[in-house]
Amino acid sequence: AQSVTQLGSHVSVSEGALVLLRCNYSSSVPPYLFWYVQYPNQGLQLLLKYTSAATLVKGINGFEAEFKKSETSFHLTKPSAHMSDAAEYFCAVREYGGSQGNLIFGKGTKLSVKP
Amino acid sequence: EAGVTQFPSHSVIEKGQTVTLRCDPISGHDNLYWYRRVMGKEIKFLLHFVKESKQDESGMPNNRFLAERTGGTYSTLKVQPAELEDSGVYFCASSHTAGDYEQYFGPGTRLTVT
């Protein structure tokens, strides 16, 4: 069965510092991987996705993630944090079989950005 | 283009009562998904509609939950009777086809059962 593990339920960085949010997945088949972000009082918004093309994926708002098969990881990074990046971030893997589309999420990581 | 909308945004009910949540997907999106996040846990899949048909309801917790999608447009999720453990945030998402890699999520309905 597929699963997603996000290390760290809370991450705090200073404005301008590197953002690194960790995600490890478990899948017996090549996965489709996603990062979503949820700002307060809003729905989940897709940041970026990996669908078996380039292993380094660039998303919106300066975020990127690298798919590393050997490490079963898909960590999210941003070189310089901005106050507006404060939100909750979710890593997800698309489930194979079944209805072909439902997502399996990690528990989420809340990012705080200090001035 | 309007996004996915959900109503109500918040609902507080007593144990044993009935609540109905509504989701309006993006116009033209045949695929509609319901997810739920219980406090402190991950977002979990509940079910998937393709137009008006239930494609997969393997994530529905029990028979107190009933989902419908009238005419392939909006969907409702009814909880009857509600229990304390049903509290959480219920998200709806839609996509044009099941093969679409992006699901568009609504803001969620926060349900509190007291």
Side-chain angles (χ1 to χ4, degrees):
Chain A
Q2 293 166 289
S3 64
V4 174
T5 301
Q6 290 184 242
L7 297 177
S9 58
H10 289 85
V11 170
S12 181
V13 301
S14 297
E15 192 172 21
L18 171 71
V19 175
L20 170 60
L21 304 183
R22 299 178 186 272
C23 172
N24 288 87
Y25 68 91
S26 170
S27 177
S28 59
V29 297
Y32 293 159
L33 294 160
F34 306 82
W35 275 99
Y36 279 84
V37 61
Q38 185 182 23
Y39 299 104
N41 301 316
Q42 296 186 28
L44 279 74
Q45 179 182 3
L46 182 66
L47 269 180
L48 48 81
K49 59 182 182 278
Y50 168 77
T51 56
S52 74
T55 56
L56 182 61
V57 181
K58 294 188 183 298
I60 61 172
N61 301 336
F63 284 93
E64 62 181 37
E66 186 172 7
F67 171 69
K68 292 187 176 180
K69 183 179 179 180
S70 61
E71 298 177 7
T72 61
S73 69
F74 191 57
H75 302 330
L76 181 70
T77 60
K78 182 174 180 177
S80 176
H82 191 273
M83 296 295 290
S84 61
D85 295 327
E88 190 160 18
Y89 293 79
F90 297 90
C91 183
V93 63
R94 181 173 167 178
E95 185 169 21
Y96 271 73
S99 68
Q100 297 181 8
N102 51 289
L103 300 172
I104 298 169
F105 286 89
K107 289 189 176 182
T109 298
K110 285 188 178 178
L111 176 66
S112 301
V113 182
K114 300 174 290 186
Chain B
E1 176 184 85
V4 177
T5 58
Q6 294 187 244
F7 182 83
S9 57
H10 292 86
S11 180
V12 180
I13 61 171
E14 293 183 353
K15 176 182 173 181
Q17 290 185 321
T18 298
V19 64
T20 300
L21 314 181
R22 173 171 170 145
C23 168
D24 286 79
I26 293 172
S27 178
H29 280 193
D30 288 340
N31 291 266
L32 188 150
Y33 304 84
W34 283 98
Y35 294 86
R36 176 175 75 170
R37 188 185 192 194
V38 172
M39 186 178 295
K41 305 234 173 144
E42 61 271 26
I43 301 168
K44 284 197 171 180
F45 166 77
L46 295 178
L47 85 159
H48 171 204
F49 282 100
V50 178
K51 297 184 180 179
E52 66 275 10
S53 300
K54 292 176 186 175
Q55 183 76 10
D56 181 355
E57 52 184 332
S58 61
M60 296 286 264
N62 50 61
N63 59 11
R64 294 185 294 103
F65 289 75
L66 175 64
E68 295 180 327
R69 189 176 183 194
T70 307
T73 55
Y74 71 91
S75 174
T76 58
L77 181 64
K78 180 190 288 188
V79 185
Q80 179 182 30
E83 297 288 346
L84 298 179
E85 64 265 25
D86 301 332
S87 296
V89 180
Y90 290 76
F91 292 102
C92 175
S94 71
S95 67
H96 182 57
T97 69
D100 281 353
Y101 296 126
E102 180 166 4
Q103 294 180 16
Y104 296 84
F105 280 78
T109 293
R110 181 173 296 277
L111 174 65
T112 302
V113 183
T114 62

